[in-house]
Amino acid sequence: MNNQERHQDGKLEQSIQTDFSKSMSYGDYLHLDSILSSQHRCSDHHDEMLFIIIHQASELWMKLILHEMQAATQSIHKNDLEPSFKMLARVSRIQHQLIQSWSILSTLTPAEYMGFRDKLGSSSGFQSHQNRLIEFAFGNKNAHMLSVFQHQPELYAIMQQALHTPSIYDAAIGALAARGLPVDEAALDRDWSQPYQPNASVEEAWLTVYRDVDQYWDLYELAEKLVDIGSQQQIWRFNHMTTVERIIGNKMGTGGSSGVTYLKRALDQQFFPELWSLRTKL
C-alpha cells in the first residue's frame, strides 16, 4: 500500500494522540464545555440562537480589544511607542471582525425578531459593560452611563476606575509633551472622567509631527494607528445603527433607549478630534 492509499483508508496517523485521560485536550484548554453550553434560548424560535451567538462572540472580541488597548496604553505611557503599533493594528482587525458580524445579524428579518423579542425583557446591548469600557478607553467618557451597572457593585467599581483612568488619547498627548512638543498643562493634567475637549496646543503639536514625519516617525505612526481604530469604531457604530433600523425600525430599544435615534446621536461623538482637524490645516 502506498502513502496515498494509507491516507485514503481513513485511519489516523500513528503519531496522533488519542488518549487524553491524563493530559489536556483542545476542548479542555478552551473550556468548550462551558462556552458551548452557554447558549440558552428564552423561546423556541429558531433564530434566537443566531441572536445569542452574535452577541456572545462580539463580547469575546471586545474582551480582546480591551486586553490590547490596556497594554498599548501602558506602552505609550512608558514612552515606548513601537510595541503599541502591533497592538493597535490588531485592535483594528478585531474591529473589522465585529463590523462584519452586523451583516450576519442583518439576515434576521423583522418578523423573525418579533418572534422572540418579547422574551428579552429589559436586556439590551446598551448594557454591555465591555462596549462602554472600550468607549472610555477611546476617550468617550460619560459618568451617567454608570447608573446602568449600579446593581453589580464589583462591576460598578471597575467602571468607576475606567472612568477616572486616562484614555489612550490622553496617553498619546502625554507622549507629545514627553518629546518636547509644547502642550497646554490643561490637556496634560485634567479630570480624566470628563470627555476630552479639543485643544489648540494639541492640534499644533500634531501638526508639527505631520509636517516633519522623519523626525517624529513614531508619533506619526501612533497618530495614524489611532485614526485607524477611531474610524473603525465609527463604522461599527454606523453598521450597528443601520442593522437595528433594518430589524426594528424606529421602535424603542428593549432597554428603554430611543433605539435608532440614540444610535444616530452616538455617531456625532468623534474620537481624537485634533487628528482629524489637522488634516484641513496641513
Side-chain angles (χ1 to χ4, degrees), residues 11-12 28 35 46 56 59 62 65 68 100 103 120 122 137 156-157 213 222 225 227 231 235 241 267 271 276:
K11 294 181 180 178
L12 293 176
D28 295 333
I35 292 175
H46 171 84
Q56 287 183 339
E59 290 293 333
M62 288 180 190
I65 285 178
E68 299 294 343
Q100 293 304 309
S103 67
L120 303 181
S122 298
Y156 186 76
V213 171
L222 173 61
K225 287 289 186 289
V227 170
S231 59
I235 294 169
M241 181 270 294
L267 288 171
F271 305 106
W276 296 97

Side-chain angles (χ1 to χ4, degrees), residues 5 21 23 29 40 61 77-78 115 130-131 160 197 199 229 236 239 255 265 269 273:
E5 289 171 330
S21 58
S23 61
Y29 174 66
H40 306 292
W61 285 123
H77 275 306
K78 295 174 183 176
Q130 291 200 123
N131 183 46
Q160 279 279 10
Q197 298 298 322
N199 182 287
I229 65 172
W236 182 87
N239 283 22
R265 285 201 305 269
Q269 300 162 353

Side-chain angles (χ1 to χ4, degrees), residues 4 6 10 22 25 34 36 78 106 112 115 128 133 137 147 170 181 214 219 222 240 246 250 261 268 276:
Q4 185 177 10
R6 284 196 192 93
K22 296 181 180 179
S25 70
S34 57
L36 297 179
K78 295 174 183 176
S106 67
E112 290 164 347
S128 168
L133 286 173
S147 61
D170 293 317
L181 293 165
D214 290 338
L219 289 169
L222 173 61
H240 182 189
R246 175 172 177 164
N250 287 299
T261 301
D268 294 330
W276 296 97

